[in-house]
């Protein structure tokens, strides 16, 4: 069950305490993750001597997700190559689960590339880093994405611009879908719903002002395992749509319908502002202006 007071404190950016057993679970899982690195990193570099496209980053992320407690289930069939996954975003665990299930590379914030160890791990999995605030560099970033797709990678983007609580779906920021204008030859788009369920999404979601370190501590100290379901939805050709906003709208509609079915209840308004997509959270329980207008769900650029 969720401790609502501790959850609220985490959202405010406060450090949440761990119990003695919580610390034990956290340290055991950290040691297991270090062990996975010791095993898989040398195998990765040895493999790269002879052949491109090492499977070991995918295997590392798959087992890292299991160590963190995620029991990942695939629903539907992920395309293996020449595919642009568009997914909702709840936790850093999304990356472990999605890459472990499909081998996909990711579009991530440039700042991650500058974080010791994390940036290096991102490079092993061929992450494409982007600077959201660098409008002059958008063309170069789009070229990087295009090269990734043309190299037969699968690439995943999280167009919400942040992580949520698993019961909300934010407007999509579609600037990084510009790689699909025009789309590389034979590339398809496949929407993906990342579904933790209501309680686990609420408990583990990385939202508000919580630090990444505090969220990792909460996740890795948690007792037991939890279900994480990846719904690989019906793929479609971006050539059938006029521009990135239409592609984004089509993907978002598919993810929203799948999330409504998974939750069995209406989605709720996200209660935190998200600057990159100019989302303003409802104030005092009152929905944001124009909440019922479909334009709300498209990035206005």
């Amino acid at each position: 069950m969720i401790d609502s007071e501790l959850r609220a404190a985490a959202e405010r950016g406060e450090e949440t305490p761990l119990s003695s057993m919580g610390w034990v679970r956290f340290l055991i899982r950290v040691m297991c993750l270090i062990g996975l690195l010791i095993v898989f990193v040398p195998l990765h570099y040895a493999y790269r001597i002879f052949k491109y496209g090492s499977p070991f980053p995918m295997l590392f992320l798959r087992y890292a997700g299991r160590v963190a407690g995620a029991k990942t289930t695939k629903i539907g069939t992920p395309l293996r190559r020449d595919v642009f996954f568009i997914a909702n975003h709840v936790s850093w665990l999304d990356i472990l689960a999605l890459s472990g299930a499909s081998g996909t590379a990711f579009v991530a914030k440039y700042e991650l590339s500058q974080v010791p160890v994390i940036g290096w791990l991102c490079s092993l999995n061929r992450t494409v880093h982007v600077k959201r605030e660098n409008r002059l560099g958008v063309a170069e970033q789009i070229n990087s994405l295009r090269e990734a797709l043309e190299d037969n990678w699968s690439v995943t983007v999280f167009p919400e611009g942040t992580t949520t609580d698993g019961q909300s779906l934010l407007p999509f920021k579609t600037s990084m879908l510009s790689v699909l204008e025009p789309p590389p030859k034979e590339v398809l788009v496949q929407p993906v719903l990342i579904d933790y369920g209501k309680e686990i999404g609420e408990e583990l979601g990385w939202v508000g002002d919580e630090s990444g370190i505090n969220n990792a501590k909460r996740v890795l100290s948690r007792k037991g395992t939890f279900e994480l379901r990846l719904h690989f939805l019906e793929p479609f050709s971006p050539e059938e749509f006029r521009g990135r906003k239409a592609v984004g709208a089509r993907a978002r509609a598919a993810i929203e319908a799948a999330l409504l079915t998974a939750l069995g209840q209406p989605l709720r308004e996200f209660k935190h502002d998200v600057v990159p997509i100019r989302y303003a959270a409802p104030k005092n329980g009152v929905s944001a202006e124009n909440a019922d207008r479909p334009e709300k769900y498209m990035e206005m650029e």
Side-chain angles (χ1 to χ4, degrees):
M1 296 298 290
I2 302 168
D3 187 320
S4 57
E5 291 186 3
L6 287 178
R7 189 70 186 88
E11 290 183 24
R12 292 193 299 268
E14 300 173 17
E15 184 176 355
T16 52
L18 302 184
S19 66
S20 297
M21 284 306 301
W23 275 112
V24 170
R25 289 189 291 267
F26 173 77
L27 292 173
I28 289 174
R29 282 175 169 145
V30 169
M31 294 303 296
C32 288
L33 292 173
I34 292 172
L36 290 175
L37 282 173
I38 291 172
V39 171
F40 285 115
V41 170
L43 289 174
H44 167 73
Y45 283 114
Y47 188 95
R48 288 293 300 272
I49 294 173
F50 304 102
K51 191 174 180 181
Y52 183 73
S54 165
F56 294 109
M58 178 181 73
L59 292 173
F60 166 75
L61 292 169
R62 179 181 300 169
Y63 290 115
R66 292 182 184 177
V67 166
K71 296 173 63 177
T72 302
T73 301
K74 288 190 291 186
I75 300 170
T77 303
L79 300 180
R80 288 297 178 186
R81 59 198 315 166
D82 298 317
V83 57
F84 200 86
F85 294 121
I86 298 178
N88 64 313
H89 200 12
V90 179
S91 167
W92 52 271
L93 291 166
D94 302 351
I95 294 173
L96 307 185
L98 258 177
S99 188
S102 68
T104 182
F106 292 88
V107 179
K109 295 187 294 185
Y110 172 80
E111 288 77 9
L112 277 180
S113 69
Q114 305 302 300
V115 177
V117 181
I118 298 297
W120 171 66
L121 287 173
C122 287
S123 70
L124 294 184
N125 199 50
R126 305 171 303 186
T127 299
V128 179
H129 294 284
V130 299
K131 292 183 178 180
R132 290 193 178 119
E133 74 283 358
N134 181 15
R135 292 187 175 274
L136 295 178
V138 168
E140 180 180 348
Q141 294 164 14
I142 290 171
N143 285 337
S144 296
L145 284 171
R146 191 176 295 277
E147 288 171 6
L149 286 169
E150 289 178 349
D151 198 29
N152 292 322
W153 301 356
S154 57
V155 176
T156 298
V157 64
F158 299 115
E160 289 176 285
T162 190
T163 47
T164 69
D165 53 20
Q167 299 185 57
S168 309
L169 191 63
L170 290 169
F172 277 9
K173 181 175 177 64
T174 60
S175 58
M176 279 300 105
L177 301 186
S178 296
V179 67
L180 302 174
E181 294 180 325
K185 185 179 180 182
E186 297 181 354
V187 166
L188 296 178
V189 171
Q190 186 167 26
V192 181
L193 169 65
I194 301 173
D195 173 25
Y196 289 78
K198 288 182 284 190
E199 287 194 5
I200 299 301
E202 181 79 11
E203 179 184 356
L204 301 185
W206 182 10
V207 299
D209 296 321
E210 183 177 17
S211 69
I213 292 175
N214 193 75
N215 186 268
K217 285 168 55 180
R218 289 199 304 108
V219 171
L220 296 177
S221 65
R222 187 182 183 277
K223 183 179 179 179
T225 60
F226 55 89
E227 294 289 337
L228 198 172
R229 290 168 290 276
L230 300 177
H231 301 255
F232 290 92
L233 307 175
E234 188 68 25
F236 63 89
S237 172
E239 293 182 345
E240 299 174 2
F241 297 84
R242 293 191 175 184
R244 58 185 171 82
K245 292 192 177 185
V247 170
R250 168 65 175 81
R252 191 187 184 285
I255 293 169
E256 180 179 17
L259 182 56
L260 283 167
T261 300
L263 293 174
Q265 64 184 40
L267 306 189
R268 66 186 185 188
E269 295 277 4
F270 192 55
K271 60 182 179 181
H272 301 279
D273 295 341
V274 185
V275 175
I277 58 171
R278 298 196 286 279
Y279 172 82
K283 306 301 180 185
N284 300 320
V286 179
S287 296
E289 184 179 3
N290 297 327
D292 296 327
R293 292 175 55 191
E295 300 97 292
K296 174 190 172 188
Y297 297 108
M298 293 308 301
E299 180 237 351
M300 302 305 291
E301 198 79 289

